[in-house]
Amino acid sequence: MTEQQGVTEEAAKIRRGAIAEARENGYSLEQIAKALGVTPGRVSQMRKGPAAQAPTPPVTQGPPVIVQRALPTDPKTRGSVSLFLVEAERQGISPGRRMLYVGPEPAAEHIAACLHVEPGDEVIARRKMMTANDVPVRIATSFFRSDLFAGTRIAEPEFVKPTLQAAIEAQGYAFGHAEETLTARPPTRFEADTLQLDPGEWVVQVLRASYASEGEPIHTLETICSANRHIFTIGQVGGLDEF
């Protein structure tokens, strides 16, 4: 090891210690990144040590990861093992997913409205993160009414097999209809950190409320998409020829 390499590694060690201390004191990755003049993703690399900071040849960076999200969702895709996995593979993207949380939490106002409960009422949340070519692109959270699904497979940790839809049908519910809304907004701190967003980047929230054939609210899916990493294709309802 040369003297210069030793100095570089020592500086990196000091920087990692400073980042760790800042995180312990409650600073977000976005705040640390702003102070250092880098992106939150770069801060994450700094925290991992020399292996994550190995020098790379000076090549031109390729285009950012772009994932397509169809609205409304194709029923065949919706009923598959994973909407995201199927959509990404069709687009030639290497998909991944990781469960972040399964358990009870108070219902936010927009979730409570979809599930016909009061804001703050306890609901079951199943939250996971999706990656495309190892880049985080979405946070998807399924919400269920605790009075309908507590004690079922849907409340258990890890992924539900064969599909979440099959587990819902196993409880005696038949799909009736769904309503989807799309909203663009600034991210929360959790969303920005999890998706490794640069300062100023927005997210697109897709909220899908599903109801049983008799109108009972059985599933609400909130998908938080990195706006810079998505294209939304909107399809017209079949059988209509109006422009």
Side-chain angles (χ1 to χ4, degrees), residues 72-233:
T73 306
D74 182 343
K76 292 181 180 179
T77 302
R78 172 62 59 185
S80 64
V81 63
S82 168
L83 179 153
F84 175 74
L85 295 183
V86 171
E87 283 190 332
E89 288 172 353
R90 286 176 179 173
Q91 298 164 42
I93 295 171
S94 177
R97 59 178 183 167
R98 177 167 61 90
M99 190 66 73
L100 299 177
Y101 173 77
V102 177
E105 68 179 44
E109 186 173 350
H110 63 293
I111 300 301
C114 292
L115 292 179
H116 297 179
V117 297
E118 294 297 321
D121 283 357
E122 185 177 284
V123 295
I124 299 169
R126 300 182 56 86
R127 182 170 295 110
K128 53 187 175 292
M129 180 181 71
M130 280 73 165
T131 61
N133 296 344
D134 296 324
V135 176
V137 292
R138 295 182 194 171
I139 303 168
T141 308
S142 289
F143 295 95
F144 300 88
R145 286 176 46 160
S146 295
D147 60 333
L148 300 180
F149 293 97
T152 69
R153 287 193 300 144
I154 287 173
E156 296 177 357
E158 302 304 327
F159 294 99
V160 177
K161 298 180 178 180
T163 66
L164 196 59
Q165 285 71 26
I168 295 173
E169 292 172 353
Q171 298 302 312
Y173 296 103
F175 176 77
H177 74 284
E179 300 171 2
E180 285 184 297
T181 59
L182 185 151
T183 305
R185 59 170 174 78
T188 65
R189 176 178 295 182
F190 168 77
E191 293 164 354
D193 287 350
T194 303
L195 294 175
Q196 299 179 13
L197 302 180
D198 287 329
E201 283 193 56
W202 277 37
V203 295
V204 173
Q205 172 188 288
V206 181
L207 191 66
R208 178 183 172 90
S210 297
Y211 300 88
S213 54
E214 297 183 358
E216 195 164 23
I218 52 174
H219 178 212
T220 294
L221 176 65
E222 179 191 61
T223 307
I224 306 300
C225 306
S226 166
N228 288 4
R229 303 167 197 165
H230 279 80
I231 292 177
F232 297 90
T233 57

Side-chain angles (χ1 to χ4, degrees), residues 71-73 75 234-242:
L71 294 172
T73 306
I234 311 298
Q236 181 168 303
V237 178
L240 299 178
D241 59 359
E242 298 292 338

